[in-house]
Amino acid sequence: MTAINTNFNTELAERFHRLPTDEQLALFWFIYTEMGGSITPAAPDAGTASTGIAEGLYNQVKEMSREEQLQVQRDLVARKNSLISREYGALSDTTKLLFWYLLARGMDDEEIIPFPDDYQLSGESDHLFQQIKNLEFSEQITLFRDIVAPMGVDPDAVPHDRNTGL
Ligand code: 45D
């Protein structure tokens, strides 16, 4: 049973990653609006997230223009080499999750570019969304870690980029 669930989770994460960049952002947003209220960063077991580091990275994004805020998030999803992508890549998986959560809350508060209210998920994204909604909470958390873990750029794994100078 556990093995089946694990494989199913891996399959869901792979299907998520195969979506176009904007669809990944959009689906992740719908997930946030669906479960936002049940995420409690102050929970006793939140200790494995480096709150200060996630907030520091979030504050850098907050200072940017709206266009840059969107670009940063697209670069993370597309694993494009940028300063934020590399800083992100050095975080633990749980801290990555916390960072995305801060971004989503920032969008809610309009500190970050808001989500367009007329956006329609593609059929494949919506199908994935329904399947994710049916998972148990702990399975969802595992899935989200698998989703955010490979985003950004591992600063130790990529060579120097001549375009960005990083
Ligand atoms: O204009 O153990 C489009 C912690 C279209 C505690 C767009 C936790 C065009 C420790 C591109 C779509 C709390 C960390 C615009 C656990 C257009 C711990 C933009 C749990 C503007 C387990 C779309 C944490 C954009 C959890 C920018 C469960 C979309 C965290 C952005 C869950 C979407 C976090 C974002 C979730 C979605 C975050 C930022 C689900 C974020 C979702």
Side-chain angles (χ1 to χ4, degrees):
M1 188 62 187
T2 308
I4 292 168
N5 276 336
T6 306
N7 290 337
F8 185 60
N9 249 341
T10 307
E11 191 213 304
L12 289 181
E14 282 171 0
R15 277 169 52 205
F16 188 102
H17 289 138
R18 276 199 297 271
L19 296 171
T21 298
D22 282 11
E23 278 296 306
Q24 291 187 43
L25 284 172
L27 176 53
F28 212 28
W29 174 258
F30 280 94
I31 290 169
Y32 163 76
T33 57
E34 183 75 15
M35 72 172 306
S38 55
I39 305 169
T40 46
D45 68 346
T48 53
S50 302
T51 310
I53 294 177
E55 284 172 354
L57 199 56
Y58 171 77
N59 286 334
Q60 288 186 54
V61 179
K62 195 178 73 176
E63 297 311 314
M64 296 175 176
S65 71
R66 298 212 148 168
E67 291 69 29
E68 287 171 320
Q69 290 173 342
L70 178 54
Q71 192 57 47
V72 155
Q73 295 183 69
R74 283 178 165 147
D75 288 350
L76 285 172
V77 170
R79 305 177 204 184
K80 215 170 140 251
N81 197 356
S82 73
L83 182 57
I84 299 283
S85 285
R86 293 168 75 96
E87 291 184 283
Y88 175 94
L91 305 177
S92 72
D93 293 351
T94 303
T95 307
K96 288 174 181 171
L97 209 44
L98 179 59
F99 173 64
W100 281 107
Y101 173 68
L102 294 179
L103 283 173
R105 274 214 332 220
M107 291 170 71
D108 256 343
D109 298 342
E110 299 197 23
E111 285 183 349
I112 304 288
I113 184 170
F115 193 82
D117 21 70
D118 55 354
Y119 194 93
Q120 286 257 308
L121 283 182
S122 72
E124 166 63 6
S125 302
D126 191 57
H127 184 56
L128 210 47
F129 187 36
Q130 303 313 319
Q131 287 182 302
I132 293 169
K133 279 199 262 188
N134 285 333
L135 296 176
E136 290 184 19
F137 185 72
S138 66
E139 292 173 322
Q140 290 178 335
I141 302 294
T142 305
L143 173 66
F144 301 153
R145 281 210 186 88
D146 289 346
I147 284 174
V148 302
M151 289 178 174
V153 170
D154 178 348
D156 296 326
V158 293
H160 181 78
D161 185 318
R162 262 191 287 137
N163 292 321
T164 59
L166 297 170

